[in-house]
Amino acid sequence: MDIKTRAIEYFSNNNILKELENALQLMFQENTSDHSGYLSKYFEKISLTPKAVSIKVDRNYSYIGTFSSSLSVLTLWRTNIEVTTGLNYVYGCNYCLPYGNILNESTPSEFSVCIEAVVDLLDNCLWSPAEMFEIDKYIRNFYNEYRKQLNKMQTDESEKEIEVIGPKEIPLKSTSEQNAKKKSTKDIITLLPNQIISIAPFIATDLTWLSISLHLTAMKCSRPKINFQWYMKSLYDEVIKSTMPDNKTNSPIPVNQVTCPIITILNCPGRIGSILSGKCKFLQEILLIPKPYLTPKELLDNLFIIKTKLSQTLMNKPNLIPQLICDNGASSVNIDKPEQAFDLLIEFLEQIQLNNHFYFGLFISPKGIFDTIKERYEIITGNLKTPEELVNYYIDLIGRYPQIRLLIDPFRVEDKEYWELLKTRITSSILITTSTIIQPAMKEITLNRSNSMITKNLKTITTLSSFDEPLKFSIPTGLTIYDLVNSCQGNKIHHHKDDVNHVDIDTTTTTTNNNNNNIKQIPNGALQSTSLCNTVDKQDMCYSSWLFTMDPCLDCVLITEIIQAIHILHLQNRQVIFSLDNLQVIEDWPMDMAIGLGIDFIKITGLNRIDQMNKLITWYHYYQDIIDHLKDSINEWKLYDSSLMENSFNV
């Protein structure tokens, strides 16, 4: 058979001549002048889906001296291998970065095992939401098995160390409540909180960004092409359809769901890493919440006015010793009482005639101010309050400043009954919010190289190899994403466990040899779905909204698990707040994700951060386009249901 005959057979069998004829007819009908460009665009639409070739990771250091990595997903499309998605990420957040030199670091070989398995799973992948859900489930099981082995190894090493060195007893005098009032602070050794956890190993960060990069790649490789918002919507539908019980109907994202931005307007002395000091220790940040009737254009215009005028106002308040721009893009004030900040904001908003456009939110630091010996919250230096007295304090503060409509982490998780008491005492609609944010449990203690802990009053307690042990952090007030997804078992939401990092899975594993190290992998057959339920345990902690971040400080964070957590909370009629704090991302995909998943509120940082303002502008364009195209069919625009923060409720 000659070459001409074989060519005709090849073109005929692959339907190429018919496609060429169709393309030429369309080009003729549209009378295009760019013939090659038209044909290129036509065949690009019907080209094969890009095929995953490899995933590369390079370790480096960030500009602040911490560990960082760059991850690239390479695909074969048409005839070229190219980087479809490239991401840079750092390890740790603002809370654990100071301790980055002793984080549990995973070796590149361990992460490469997961990467190799994922690339194999992506063979012949069409990048559909169902396929990406399976990839996320594999990543979750891989991390669980890794963490299980790591915990076992650390336990074995600790037992050996105790046998060799032996424990050292530390005699501490018990302090009664009566004596505690008489003793000065310098004689008191503040104990650690009861519930503490260890930060996750580095591989949790690697797996988080591996998952994110694959979802971004799936969006870019979709045929026809879609944006990340629509990809998130389709992924949401797939995940909920796959995880809902058979007798439950699917619950898509409401068509009129709007993601409302919340802005950090002032940093306060309680914020971790704050340069300025002040006696008001319980407040980390004061937030601005737009009222529901503001349109996207009105909100953006108002925020630009605030951004321009606030610095000038603060410069005229030398008594507050303001720092105009902090690392999160917001200004910081040195205050001794919260009233100083509230009065400043009220006066400022009245001057620019925006006092009726915003509510206030309080981001509180309960762990950092709780004295475990006196069992008091030191909200202001020298002013200690019991949990019940703190309830009264909040009620009084809200009564004097009715603009307050959001409280984030008002108490420790250990004081569950006071969350309930606070809600029963409040007579207006206020969002009482738990969060997944960690805080160091050793705020008053630093480590030195002599295996000792030194308190701020220079009292020394000798410990057992404290330098080599992972630092402890306080348990967050809210369930983590993974715990929330797995909390619905037997129609009941479980309480926090003392160790939220505990892993208890029973799977059959296979062992592969890599660089002479035995590394266990979870086979594909171990992937299981998680069922959801819509019942609420009456004994669970009382909260009306849940704030989460994508910080992998406690666990790897997977978008498909975020979807399940959002769905669970919405079934419980709770609000979801996505915080962009510590998410060092220049791209706009976090805002696209929030919009696509129907998240209720998104907390951005200060207005002086360019990357945050770009995300806010992305938000504006999305919703303003909706208003412009559907203005005849939209009866009333609302950022959120006004009853969340305006109506009173009966106790």
Side-chain angles (χ1 to χ4, degrees):
M1 185 182 296
D2 60 14
I3 188 170
K4 183 176 181 180
T5 304
R6 285 189 288 115
I8 293 174
E9 183 178 350
Y10 171 80
F11 292 142
S12 177
N13 291 340
N14 291 281
N15 214 26
I16 294 175
L17 296 176
K18 185 176 181 180
E19 286 293 350
L20 278 172
E21 181 182 2
N22 187 47
L24 293 173
Q25 286 179 352
L26 291 174
M27 184 173 65
F28 173 74
Q29 292 172 4
E30 297 183 19
N31 193 24
T32 180
S33 59
D34 184 2
H35 307 136
S36 298
Y38 184 91
L39 291 174
S40 174
K41 187 175 181 180
Y42 175 86
F43 285 107
E44 180 179 312
K45 292 180 180 178
I46 61 174
S47 62
L48 293 177
T49 302
K51 176 182 173 63
V53 175
S54 63
I55 300 173
K56 294 183 178 180
V57 179
D58 296 317
R59 290 285 176 95
N60 210 326
Y61 285 92
S62 69
Y63 68 95
I64 57 175
T66 58
F67 285 112
S68 69
S69 289
S70 60
L71 188 150
S72 303
V73 180
L74 286 79
T75 60
L76 172 63
W77 187 41
R78 295 178 290 194
T79 59
N80 298 325
I81 294 178
E82 56 187 26
V83 176
T84 303
T85 301
L87 294 175
N88 296 310
Y89 57 92
V90 298
Y91 297 89
C93 66
N94 286 345
Y95 299 97
C96 61
L97 274 178
Y99 317 107
N101 59 326
I102 54 174
L103 290 172
N104 292 321
E105 182 180 0
S106 59
T107 62
S109 62
E110 293 163 335
F111 185 33
S112 66
V113 170
C114 182
I115 288 178
E116 291 173 5
V118 167
V119 172
D120 289 341
L121 291 173
L122 291 172
D123 189 35
N124 298 321
C125 174
L126 298 178
W127 304 101
S128 68
E131 291 170 310
M132 301 315 297
F133 188 22
E134 291 300 315
I135 296 295
D136 265 7
K137 286 190 285 186
Y138 178 84
I139 293 174
R140 163 55 60 192
N141 282 311
F142 185 94
Y143 176 75
N144 281 357
E145 182 63 22
Y146 174 87
R147 193 62 194 262
K148 183 179 181 181
Q149 294 179 57
L150 180 63
N151 289 345
K152 184 178 184 303
M153 181 181 67
Q154 290 176 340
T155 301
D156 293 342
E157 289 179 353
S158 298
E159 291 175 352
K160 291 179 182 179
E161 192 173 9
I162 291 174
E163 291 176 1
V164 174
I165 301 177
K168 298 182 180 181
E169 295 185 359
I170 307 171
L172 293 175
K173 294 182 179 180
S174 60
T175 306
S176 64
E177 183 176 344
Q178 184 177 3
N179 291 335
K181 296 180 180 179
K182 297 179 180 179
K183 292 186 176 182
S184 62
T185 305
K186 66 180 181 179
D187 295 325
I188 301 298
I189 300 177
T190 303
L191 299 181
L192 302 180
N194 294 327
Q195 293 183 309
I196 54 178
I197 50 180
S198 300
I199 54 179
F202 273 7
I203 199 170
T205 302
D206 293 321
L207 295 177
T208 295
W209 287 96
L210 172 63
S211 172
I212 292 171
S213 66
L214 292 176
H215 284 292
L216 288 169
T217 303
M219 177 269 296
K220 296 173 183 177
C221 294
S222 297
R223 295 293 180 270
K225 288 187 176 181
I226 57 176
N227 59 34
F228 202 53
Q229 296 156 359
W230 284 105
Y231 172 78
M232 284 288 105
K233 291 179 186 292
S234 60
L235 183 65
Y236 181 99
D237 292 340
E238 175 62 36
V239 170
I240 300 307
K241 180 181 68 175
S242 301
T243 55
M244 283 291 289
D246 294 337
N247 61 340
K248 302 292 183 181
T249 57
N250 194 4
S251 301
I253 301 171
V255 177
N256 60 347
Q257 177 71 44
V258 177
T259 299
C260 176
I262 296 175
I263 299 92
T264 301
I265 190 65
L266 286 178
N267 295 318
C268 299
R271 181 174 180 266
I272 300 295
S274 178
I275 297 178
L276 298 176
S277 61
K279 294 182 179 180
C280 185
K281 301 172 64 176
F282 80 102
L283 264 185
Q284 292 195 58
E285 299 173 1
I286 298 179
L287 314 174
L288 278 187
I289 308 167
K291 292 193 175 180
Y293 56 78
L294 290 178
T295 66
K297 186 177 188 310
E298 290 172 338
L299 175 56
L300 196 64
D301 288 344
N302 291 345
L303 292 178
F304 276 125
I305 293 173
I306 291 173
K307 180 177 183 293
T308 304
K309 302 288 187 180
L310 181 59
S311 297
Q312 183 178 356
T313 299
L314 291 176
M315 291 175 66
N316 295 327
K317 302 287 183 180
N319 57 313
L320 298 180
I321 319 176
Q323 180 183 348
L324 298 184
I325 301 178
C326 299
D327 58 345
N328 67 344
S331 300
S332 181
V333 288
N334 186 5
I335 57 174
D336 294 331
K337 298 186 297 182
E339 290 87 345
Q340 292 175 277
F342 300 147
D343 292 340
L344 167 68
L345 283 178
I346 292 172
E347 178 186 352
F348 168 68
L349 292 174
E350 286 177 348
Q351 288 177 354
I352 59 177
Q353 299 180 346
L354 296 179
N355 52 307
N356 293 323
H357 291 185
F358 294 94
Y359 294 121
F360 295 163
L362 308 186
F363 192 1
I364 300 165
S365 173
K367 282 287 187 178
I369 61 171
F370 188 79
D371 189 318
T372 54
I373 288 184
K374 298 180 181 179
E375 296 184 349
R376 301 287 193 277
Y377 289 94
E378 190 174 10
I379 59 172
I380 297 172
T381 302
N383 186 354
L384 286 84
K385 294 186 180 295
T386 64
E388 186 172 1
E389 291 172 339
L390 187 55
V391 171
N392 296 330
Y393 180 81
Y394 287 140
I395 296 299
D396 175 69
L397 202 61
I398 293 169
R400 289 185 288 123
Y401 296 95
Q403 297 91 341
I404 298 173
R405 284 293 180 266
L406 171 67
L407 297 178
I408 302 174
D409 292 349
F411 300 97
R412 303 183 307 154
V413 67
E414 293 88 345
D415 296 325
K416 287 184 179 180
E417 63 271 25
Y418 296 100
W419 291 73
E420 177 72 33
L421 179 61
L422 177 63
K423 183 174 181 180
T424 59
R425 293 282 307 280
I426 292 175
T427 58
S428 58
S429 298
I430 292 180
L431 293 179
I432 301 175
T433 308
T434 61
S435 78
T436 65
I437 296 175
I438 63 169
Q439 295 175 20
M442 297 184 179
K443 184 176 180 182
E444 305 294 347
I445 299 174
T446 57
L447 294 176
N448 66 6
R449 294 183 181 272
S450 63
N451 292 337
S452 301
M453 292 186 292
I454 302 179
T455 62
K456 65 178 181 179
N457 54 2
L458 300 182
K459 287 185 177 290
T460 302
I461 303 177
T462 303
T463 61
L464 184 62
S465 298
S466 59
F467 184 78
D468 296 325
E469 294 176 353
L471 280 175
K472 301 297 183 180
F473 291 80
S474 61
I475 190 170
T477 60
L479 288 167
T480 65
I481 297 168
Y482 182 59
D483 279 348
L484 184 58
V485 170
N486 289 276
S487 62
C488 290
Q489 300 292 335
N491 293 332
K492 184 175 182 179
I493 293 181
H494 296 291
H495 300 293
H496 289 285
K497 294 178 289 187
D498 288 346
D499 180 10
V500 299
N501 292 322
H502 174 70
V503 177
D504 187 13
I505 55 176
D506 184 14
T507 60
T508 304
T509 59
T510 58
T511 304
T512 59
N513 190 277
N514 185 35
N515 296 333
N516 298 323
N517 293 324
N518 289 329
I519 301 175
K520 291 185 178 180
Q521 279 186 272
I522 298 178
N524 296 344
L527 304 179
Q528 300 293 332
S529 298
T530 303
S531 297
L532 305 181
C533 67
N534 60 356
T535 58
V536 181
D537 184 2
K538 301 300 182 181
Q539 302 301 319
D540 196 24
M541 191 162 61
C542 179
Y543 64 99
S544 51
S545 58
W546 174 76
L547 181 146
F548 77 95
T549 71
M550 295 193 72
D551 294 335
C553 298
L554 299 180
D555 193 4
C556 64
V557 179
L558 306 177
I559 291 178
T560 53
E561 291 178 352
I562 292 175
I563 290 172
Q564 296 174 70
I566 292 170
H567 186 71
I568 291 171
L569 290 163
H570 282 172
L571 289 176
Q572 298 169 357
N573 199 28
R574 286 174 166 144
Q575 303 296 299
V576 177
I577 304 173
F578 175 28
S579 173
L580 298 185
D581 291 342
N582 304 318
L583 190 59
Q584 307 293 332
V585 175
I586 298 176
E587 298 84 5
D588 295 333
W589 65 259
M591 181 63 76
D592 293 332
M593 185 187 82
I595 294 172
L597 297 183
I599 293 174
D600 303 287
F601 297 90
I602 183 164
K603 178 183 177 293
I604 69 172
T605 59
L607 299 175
N608 290 303
R609 278 269 298 269
I610 296 177
D611 60 320
Q612 301 290 302
M613 287 302 297
N614 287 340
K615 292 175 178 59
L616 193 59
I617 292 172
T618 297
W619 174 89
Y620 159 76
H621 284 303
Y622 179 82
Y623 287 113
Q624 192 61 46
D625 286 346
I626 291 178
I627 292 177
D628 293 341
H629 286 89
L630 302 177
K631 56 184 176 181
D632 295 332
S633 58
I634 296 179
N635 296 326
E636 184 181 9
W637 165 265
K638 284 186 179 181
L639 289 170
Y640 51 87
D641 187 351
S642 57
S643 64
L644 289 175
M645 299 188 185
E646 291 183 356
N647 292 352
S648 299
F649 57 82
N650 296 323
V651 178

